[in-house]
Amino acid sequence: MTIAHALGFPRIGAQRELKFAVEAFWRGEASEAELSAVGSTLRRRHWAWQKEAGLDVVAVGDFAWYDQMLNTAALLGALPGRFGFDAKALSLKQYFELGRGNAGQPAMEMTKWFDTNYHYIVPELDAATAFDGGVDWLFYEIDEARSQGHAVKPVLVGPLTFLYLSKTKSAGFDKLDLVNKIVPAYRRILEKLAARGIEWVQIDEPILALELSADWQAAFAPVYRELGAAGVKLLLATYFDSVVEHSALINALPVAGVHIDLVRAPAQLDALLPGWPADKILSAGVIDGRNIWAADLSAKLGQLEAAKARLGDKLWVASSCSLLHSPVDLDSEDQLDAELKSWLAFAKQKLGEIAVLKRALESGRDAVAAELAASDAAARSRATSRRIHNAAVGTRLAGLSDADSARSNAYEQRAAAQRAWLKLPLLPTTTIGSFPQTKDIRAARAAFKRGELAEANYVAAMQAEIRLAVEKQEALGLDVPVHGEAERNDMVEYFGEQLAGFAFTRFGWVQSYGSRCVKPPVIFGDVSRPTPMTVEWSRYAQSLTAKPMKGMLTGPVTILQWSFVRDDQPRRDTALQIALAIRDEVVDLEAAGIKVIQIDEPAFREGLPLKRSDWDAYLEWAGRAFRVSASGVVDSTQIHTHMCYSEFNDILPAIAAMDADVITIETSRSDMELLEAFGEFAYPNEIGPGVYDIHSPRVPPVDEMLRLIAKALDVVPAERLWINPDCGLKTRGWPETEAALANMLAATREARAAIAEGRKLVVAAGSAYKAHAHSGDCGCNG
Ligand code: GLN
Ligand code: ZN
């Protein structure tokens, strides 16, 4: 029998029920029992959907109150000792404290799950970490699903992926040393599952999609020899990229089946099939777990039928990865038109697609003729729709020349032209763009969207905010002011709403981390800019000051990265279309007298492919897209870019190739460590390394910023150094923002004086501020 299954299902709920329940629990407004009841309801519903759709097993173990890696640590008993918690008796309150911190301990760190926008809690391991077992939630949920009449497939994060993604606290200690301890823990769990009569366990090892070093590759065979003998059948799940380079290793593992991602890496099927071991199941991940497009079922079937001819019943059908990364239910969308909706499928609809493919494989295409006809019709309309295909955009893209992706002259020449009119002091000061998004601002926007506030009144309210921001910056003495971005809800949505080719859902939420969800725009068609988007706001702001107002835009790569991107053309083409739209805006800003323009690219680095061997190709087109957006202006117009919390060391040449006149980056939390790479590389243009952390309301004292400025001056010549905070200030309040900026300007004045007098900056030793882990509540969407 062809088994149909999903690797996992989103847990947040179609109406974000989990988010609201968890947050009510945090506020003390819901009891643990009430929260548990919401979890049970969601699991019951999601399992029922899987069964009703026609899947053969339901995924259990994909549910998490906060994060699946944190759940795995709690299941294994591998919690950081610093909290002093007993993993076997862990309460929900303590579980959340691990993810969010408590009065005595900062939260465990959080980082991106591979190349998705989901963030997981990073396990903290050291030589003393025991894996003596912890909470029994998984077993409880298995019993729960069974009591509801489901065939259960437990899902676990595999031991090697768990270790690989964790961080070690003790120095000189190799994570792989813990293999001997973690394997018995997994073995005990698998044996417990076997004792419960579980047949199949999905064990996720997505690190197999990475280019693994020899020691990590070598770890697989002994680990799975041990786990393969635990009495359950293992389905080793890989996803997010091809595993062909590890095929010899995988084929030899004593696992009963392997899942591969045929959406991200469709070509691996043909590469793997000829050598596929006769005894292994192949689970074909053909339904995209990371996007919102309905599958072209006929095309998918073509691929599957070829595999079926070889594998027979050993072929399973599945989502490419967990559906965690797609929104929950398209049926909730009552404001999308029927045509657009026919092109989409959210997690619940994807379950149906998987089941249709299974039925077609088992009973022939005729058995699902109606479903295939509907899918064919949607595919045809996507291929030809005038809403998607705009000939003018195609023509413009085809006509792009090399000259369009480069400024006319080199940085030195541009810098001279810019200095001539900007006449900025040494160490010019600026901010990253946004100022506090106050309650009033949000209330005005919400009222405007509901139609309760007339457009003229909304504009007047935003102008008042801009005036306030400009006055405050004048009073503080910032050299290059900004308008403050009061009118923007979000740095991508704001532009998406004004660009052609974008659509917005009402409930297209995806979990970002913990209780935080994002609702990315949908890029469904060719992108173009019908009218200027920011020019009037910037023009107004400039009218209020004699200083050079900095115009603020979001860059093409970031808009691409933080949207659901169409799958019917290469990402690079979509990036270039967005780049052309941003270029038009840059040119219009320049014509309106805004001659300092920042194009934010905080997501530039996160677009990097998982495999290093694919990096150059990405950096090539991403860099080109940025330059296309930035190169329509004359030498004297100064282009800034901004990136937050990026590790640049390995991509500095590509960052330099973006050729922005000024780049501002986040450096204060790493104590300017990042900047050393810029120094070593001799970054050629101007840099503004952030001198204070905007992620907390703390007001850093003058000497602390002075110390960072002194460190920056060690690597960047004073003529090319800017002074600014780490990121935008939209999540801060005004009092701390003004106090921190006043200190930043005092530190700058002192640094300028020291340089003018030729004295070395004297800074108090050891005044470094130990930054907290990224909490995600900053201006950075990442
Ligand atoms: N200009 C944006 C802001 O200040 C940049 C935010 C970001 O880097 N994520 O809010
Ligand atoms: Zn930032």
Side-chain angles (χ1 to χ4, degrees), residues 197 224 384 621 715 748:
Y224 280 89
T384 54
W621 66 252
V715 274
T748 306

Side-chain angles (χ1 to χ4, degrees), residues 519-572:
K519 190 159 69 62
V522 176
I523 306 179
F524 70 90
D526 288 341
V527 176
S528 61
R529 187 201 66 148
T531 51
M533 303 181 283
T534 66
V535 174
E536 283 319 309
W537 300 116
S538 286
R539 198 202 305 268
Y540 175 74
Q542 183 66 83
S543 76
L544 304 171
T545 176
K547 296 202 166 155
M549 178 58 55
K550 180 162 69 168
M552 301 297 314
L553 303 173
T554 302
V557 181
T558 297
I559 292 180
L560 181 87
Q561 204 56 36
W562 290 347
S563 300
F564 284 120
V565 180
R566 54 195 286 195
D567 61 354
D568 57 349
Q569 68 181 21
R571 286 173 80 80
R572 101 176 67 84

Side-chain angles (χ1 to χ4, degrees), residues 432 491 600 602 642-645 664 666 694 726-728 779-780:
I432 306 306
M491 62 185 294
D600 289 322
H642 165 73
M643 300 181 183
C644 14
Y645 57 111
T664 55
E666 193 233 89
I694 54 86
D726 267 344
C727 192
C780 327

Side-chain angles (χ1 to χ4, degrees), residues 750-769:
E750 166 56 17
R752 285 174 185 156
I755 294 169
E757 293 157 21
R759 62 183 158 82
K760 188 127 183 73
L761 272 179
V762 194
V763 289
S767 59
Y769 155 56

Side-chain angles (χ1 to χ4, degrees), residues 45 85 99 142 155 205 214 233 235 254 277 421 464 466 534 544 651 751 781:
R45 186 187 305 154
F85 294 159
I142 288 170
V155 177
E205 293 285 13
K233 293 182 187 158
L235 177 70
W421 75 271
I466 292 172
T534 66
L544 304 171
I651 57 164
N781 288 37

Side-chain angles (χ1 to χ4, degrees), residues 500-522:
F502 283 72
F504 291 84
T505 62
R506 284 188 73 197
F507 302 103
W509 297 99
V510 180
Q511 188 176 16
S512 169
Y513 65 89
S515 71
R516 178 159 162 134
C517 303
V518 294
K519 190 159 69 62
V522 176

